[in-house]
Amino acid sequence: MRVYKFYPAKWGLEALSKRRLKVSPIDELNDPFEYLSLDLGEKSVRAWAKEFRKIVTEDNGIISFSSNWSQPLMWAHYADSHKGVALGFEIPERLLFKIDYVENRIKPTMDVDHSRASMKILVQKLLRTKHSEWSYEKEFRLVRPLKNCIREGNNFFTDFNETTPLKEVILGARYQTSHAEQLSSELKSEGISFQTARAEFKGFRMTTQKSAGLQKQL
């Protein structure tokens, strides 16, 4: 499955030059409701949810991708207002968590404390659920145990590999050439394709710039 990671230019170039992706500990994600999509009206549920989130977050990190690079909000929010890049990876769908977007928080079933099956269903829902206002992201997640990641200070990384190979680089509509000719040449020799994004002429999405003279360079 082709999925995309958006970066400001500086961090996108670093990811490309070092052939690696940043893994985000769950506590550092930009949504305070991460893994807390449960209805917390009951005090007992709040206690359970707090413990659940602690267990999930302390050992795992995630890499967030989008299934769609043409969404202009993704470029605006995650690629420095279209001045960054989107990196396209081919990842087996079985390795990815597809995020479900909902209007209301999840209510646990009455038997959740006594049924392992119900508890398993609830946990899976919590791992995959965000509020509908995030739906423009069309998010898929790759979970990585932090113990298996490369650690530099407080940051975690995982290398590009055969399971998650980089396939394409899309330069934003406002990308400014960084004169990384050697890196560009190396990537092209590895079979990585390049394209430039532009705004549609008739719609409100981003699309591929087909004019050879308007192609941007890494």
Side-chain angles (χ1 to χ4, degrees):
M1 177 179 183
R2 187 64 54 90
V3 290
Y4 299 89
K5 183 70 176 175
F6 292 81
Y7 281 111
K10 176 182 178 180
W11 303 120
L13 285 169
E14 180 174 294
L16 289 171
S17 63
K18 295 184 177 180
R19 309 298 200 274
R20 68 185 189 183
L21 288 166
K22 187 175 186 293
V23 180
S24 299
I26 293 166
D27 280 339
E28 296 179 9
L29 299 176
N30 58 4
D31 182 3
F33 294 95
E34 291 288 353
Y35 300 133
L36 282 178
S37 53
L38 199 63
D39 185 326
L40 302 178
E42 297 292 333
K43 187 174 181 179
S44 60
V45 176
R46 289 198 295 273
W48 180 89
K50 182 178 180 180
E51 185 61 25
F52 165 78
R53 194 172 193 276
K54 178 182 177 183
I55 292 170
V56 171
T57 60
E58 63 186 5
D59 295 325
N60 296 295
I62 67 168
I63 307 170
S64 293
F65 299 95
S66 174
S67 62
N68 184 3
W69 70 263
S70 65
Q71 168 56 261
L73 287 177
M74 293 297 291
W75 287 97
H77 294 167
Y78 297 107
D80 192 20
S81 297
H82 298 256
K83 295 190 287 287
V85 301
L87 308 184
F89 294 84
E90 193 67 30
I91 301 178
E93 192 167 353
R94 60 182 172 79
L95 299 180
L96 296 165
F97 279 92
K98 181 179 185 295
I99 297 300
D100 297 320
Y101 301 97
V102 299
E103 289 289 341
N104 301 306
R105 295 177 80 156
I106 299 168
K107 289 186 177 292
T109 59
M110 297 297 292
D111 66 341
V112 72
D113 289 331
H114 310 290
S115 168
R116 291 181 62 86
S118 294
M119 179 61 73
K120 183 177 181 180
I121 291 171
L122 176 60
V123 168
Q124 288 296 315
K125 282 185 176 180
L126 291 175
L127 293 174
R128 297 171 182 267
T129 301
K130 293 181 71 170
H131 187 255
S132 58
E133 289 187 2
W134 294 94
S135 62
Y136 72 91
E137 294 185 337
K138 297 188 182 303
E139 185 179 358
F140 284 77
R141 288 180 172 178
L142 186 64
V143 177
R144 281 284 184 262
L146 294 177
K147 67 180 181 180
N148 295 339
C149 296
I150 302 163
R151 183 165 187 169
E152 292 184 3
N154 293 323
N155 296 318
F156 297 86
F157 301 92
T158 185
D159 290 331
F160 299 173
N161 57 57
E162 293 180 356
T163 305
T164 58
L166 176 69
K167 292 294 186 180
E168 61 180 308
V169 177
I170 304 170
L171 304 177
R174 297 173 180 164
Y175 182 85
Q176 297 294 315
T177 300
S178 63
H179 304 290
E181 291 89 353
Q182 182 176 346
L183 176 59
S184 179
S185 178
E186 290 173 357
L187 292 168
K188 288 177 181 178
S189 71
E190 295 169 13
I192 310 304
S193 66
F194 283 77
Q195 59 181 314
T196 299
R198 68 160 175 83
E200 288 180 336
F201 294 141
K202 295 184 178 181
F204 289 95
R205 314 289 285 182
M206 306 308 293
T207 189
T208 302
Q209 174 60 260
K210 294 183 179 179
S211 173
L214 295 177
Q215 297 297 320
K216 297 178 181 294
Q217 302 300 317
L218 190 63

